């Protein structure tokens, strides 16, 4: 059997794949956070709860309405995104111009409330969600076994991240978004309805989180706290990539997932802390993050 | 030769938080005119322009654009009445290329200049379209800030100190541009510190002091009015 540094190839590649999967979730979630932070100047602590809501919406659609995975992939982001729009209109809007701290406290409190409500309704043990029939099974690549669903998650996450990046960097809508991130007042004085753009942007970031939640449902258990653990790591990813940097959050998300996976192979004890160690080092050497603009 | 008033400001007050900056500004601009706001630093000229665009934190009074009362409208609705603002700090976006900066403001009315026409007014920009917006020199950034509002179809332009800190050749180029725009029928409200520059372009001057208009001088009066101006503007 082929070995690398004394590690059997299937183990190494297996962990690498796990790392990529985690990285995919880090990337989508930190991308949403970056877009929201850029325009709203709010660190959206509700993001993990909204990811969880995406997974639960998929579960409810299936078990209550008989709508399967593919419907969930479309409907859950729309529904959870709409709830985000309500939150922005009713609550976040009132914080415009105030210190970051208020947005952080509000969204953190909201996350606790939402998670509490779900725990009350569904209990804290996880609920199963089956892999859709089309994506069961896997491929034997010779050096490892590749489950189809996991390959799908990595590919579709990459596609969503790249599409988002392209829209932001290459389209007219994206130029409004970038400009409004720098100077919303001036963009609004040019005739762009910036308040509406802010609301829709929050809705979009939340929809991305819900989309990740649907992708996660068949891999992890659907449970009220599934986002609470993940989001802490995602915040570290955002800090490492540079708050508000779009490309930074995508690259850092996937990269750190892989680093975490490899750490599991070579130094298992460190795998749960490696991202935080990297965060500390990056903060010391480049406080604005790897891709952040200083100042 | 000037048409009906297209900007009428009356009893305009504006505040930044607790600080009351405009105390009843009153002036008007007629279609096709170039009108300046002159006054010392801190008199409230930029605040007046920002109040017209609706981007000060708090304002009251009356601002009518082509007869439409705008005091309660949000900035994007005001802009869509065909008015455009070139801010004192220029507002070129670092995350946008020169071309993206140029194409950023949405078209709000028919009759804007084509991209080619804008670039022929400012040939320097044509060579720098793919550069990052803020990599341009100060003069080029100023030209870009003017150029991008000419595309939008807005016929009423608010230019806040377009010559501030620029070299004399560039000041001359901007002067020629303003004269050309006036000839094409644009209406311009111009804030200037550089009185010699303003005097050659404007039909009328308003003197602003402590958030109020304290005098109005017609260009034809500029000879005899010069003493009054000097008295107002002397530090
Ligand atoms: N963003 C702001 N916050 C608080 N005060 C301001 C702000 N901008 C301007 N001011 C104050 O308002 C007054 C008028 O300023 P401004 O309109 O910029 O004057 P001008 O353009 O005539 O030089 C000044 O006293 C200035 O200090
Ligand atoms: Mg000023």
């Amino acid at each position: 059997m082929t070995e690398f540094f004394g590690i059997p190839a299937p183990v190494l590649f297996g962990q690498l794949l796990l790392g990529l999967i985690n990285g995919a979730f880090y990337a989508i979630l930190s991308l949403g956070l970056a877009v929201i932070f850029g325009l709203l100047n709010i660190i959206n602590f509700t993001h993990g709860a909204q990811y969880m809501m995406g997974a639960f919406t998929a579960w409810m659609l299936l078990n209550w309405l008989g709508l399967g995975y593919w419907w969930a992939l479309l409907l859950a982001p729309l529904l959870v995104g709409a709830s985000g729009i309500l939150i922005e209109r009713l609550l976040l809007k009132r914080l415009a111009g105030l210190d970051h701290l208020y947005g952080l406290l509000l969204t953190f409190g909201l996350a606790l409330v939402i998670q509490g409500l779900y725990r009350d309704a569904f209990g804290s043990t996880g609920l199963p969600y089956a892999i859709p029939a089309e994506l069961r099974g896997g491929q034997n690549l010779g050096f490892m076994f590749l489950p189809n669903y996991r390959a799908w998650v990595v590919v579709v996450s990459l596609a969503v991240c790249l599409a988002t990046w392209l829209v932001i960097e290459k389209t007219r809508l994206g130029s409004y978004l970038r400009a409004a991130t720098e100077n919303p007042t001036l963009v609004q004085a040019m005739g762009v309805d910036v308040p509406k753009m802010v609301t829709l942007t929050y809705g979009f970031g939340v929809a991305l989180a819900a989309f990740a939640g649907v992708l996660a449902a068949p891999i992890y258990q659907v449970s009220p706290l599934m986002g609470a653990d993940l989001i802490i790591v995602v915040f570290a990813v955002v800090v490492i990539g540079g708050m508000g940097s779009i490309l930074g959050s995508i690259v850092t998300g996937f990269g750190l997932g892989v680093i975490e996976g490899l750490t599991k192979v070579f130094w298992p004890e460190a795998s749960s802390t490696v991202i935080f160690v990297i965060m500390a080092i990056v903060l010391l050497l480049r406080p604005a993050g790897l891709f952040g603009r200083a100042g | 030769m000037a048409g009906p008033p297209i900007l009428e400001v009356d009893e305009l007050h504006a505040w930044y938080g607790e600080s009351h900056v405009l105390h009843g500004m009153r002036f008007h601009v007629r279609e096709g005119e170039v009108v300046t706001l002159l006054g010392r630093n801190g008199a409230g000229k930029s605040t007046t322009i920002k109040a017209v665009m609706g981007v000060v934190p708090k304002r009251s009074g009356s601002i009518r654009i082509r007869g439409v009362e705008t005091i309660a409208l949000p900035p994007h609705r005001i802009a869509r009445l065909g008015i455009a603002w070139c801010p004192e700090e220029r507002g070129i976006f670092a995350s946008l290329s020169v071309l993206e900066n140029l194409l950023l403001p949405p078209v709000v009315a028919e009759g804007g200049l084509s991209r080619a026409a804008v670039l022929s007014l400012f040939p320097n920009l044509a060579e720098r379209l793919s550069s990052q917006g803020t990599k341009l020199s100060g003069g080029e950034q100023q030209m870009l800030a003017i150029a991008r509002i000419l595309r939008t179809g807005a016929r009423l332009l608010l230019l806040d100190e377009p010559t501030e800190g620029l070299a004399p050749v560039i000041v001359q180029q901007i002067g020629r541009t303003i004269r050309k725009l006036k000839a094409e029928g644009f209406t311009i409200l111009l804030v200037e510190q550089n009185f010699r520059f303003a005097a050659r372009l404007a039909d009328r001057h308003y003197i602003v002091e402590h958030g109020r208009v304290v005098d109005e001088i017609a260009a034809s009066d500029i000879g005899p009015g010069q003493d009054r101006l000097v008295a107002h503007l002397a530090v």
Side-chain angles (χ1 to χ4, degrees), chain B residues 46 88 160-161:
Chain B
S46 297
E88 190 170 8
D160 196 346
E161 302 208 28

mmCIF file of all heavy atoms in Angstrom, chain B residues 46 88 160-161, ligand 2:
data_model
loop_
_atom_site.group_PDB
_atom_site.id
_atom_site.type_symbol
_atom_site.label_atom_id
_atom_site.label_comp_id
_atom_site.label_asym_id
_atom_site.label_seq_id
_atom_site.Cartn_x
_atom_site.Cartn_y
_atom_site.Cartn_z
ATOM 1 N N SER B 46 -20.168 73.596 1.999
ATOM 2 C CA SER B 46 -20.292 72.159 1.715
ATOM 3 C C SER B 46 -21.542 71.593 2.369
ATOM 4 O O SER B 46 -22.229 70.751 1.779
ATOM 5 C CB SER B 46 -19.068 71.401 2.225
ATOM 6 O OG SER B 46 -17.915 71.838 1.554
ATOM 7 N N GLU B 88 -16.491 67.535 -2.242
ATOM 8 C CA GLU B 88 -15.210 68.201 -2.004
ATOM 9 C C GLU B 88 -14.068 67.184 -1.929
ATOM 10 O O GLU B 88 -12.986 67.409 -2.451
ATOM 11 C CB GLU B 88 -15.321 68.980 -0.682
ATOM 12 C CG GLU B 88 -14.162 69.909 -0.414
ATOM 13 C CD GLU B 88 -14.436 70.821 0.785
ATOM 14 O OE1 GLU B 88 -15.441 70.635 1.483
ATOM 15 O OE2 GLU B 88 -13.619 71.734 0.994
ATOM 16 N N ASP B 160 -18.317 70.944 -5.603
ATOM 17 C CA ASP B 160 -17.770 71.477 -4.358
ATOM 18 C C ASP B 160 -16.253 71.622 -4.463
ATOM 19 O O ASP B 160 -15.525 70.637 -4.438
ATOM 20 C CB ASP B 160 -18.154 70.562 -3.188
ATOM 21 C CG ASP B 160 -17.962 71.247 -1.828
ATOM 22 O OD1 ASP B 160 -17.291 72.293 -1.786
ATOM 23 O OD2 ASP B 160 -18.481 70.715 -0.827
ATOM 24 N N GLU B 161 -15.785 72.830 -4.603
ATOM 25 C CA GLU B 161 -14.359 73.157 -4.717
ATOM 26 C C GLU B 161 -13.605 72.245 -5.670
ATOM 27 O O GLU B 161 -12.666 71.559 -5.278
ATOM 28 C CB GLU B 161 -13.702 73.120 -3.323
ATOM 29 C CG GLU B 161 -14.391 74.096 -2.376
ATOM 30 C CD GLU B 161 -13.468 74.621 -1.295
ATOM 31 O OE1 GLU B 161 -12.244 74.694 -1.545
ATOM 32 O OE2 GLU B 161 -13.987 74.976 -0.223
HETATM 33 MG MG1 LIG C 2 -16.284 72.898 2.128
#
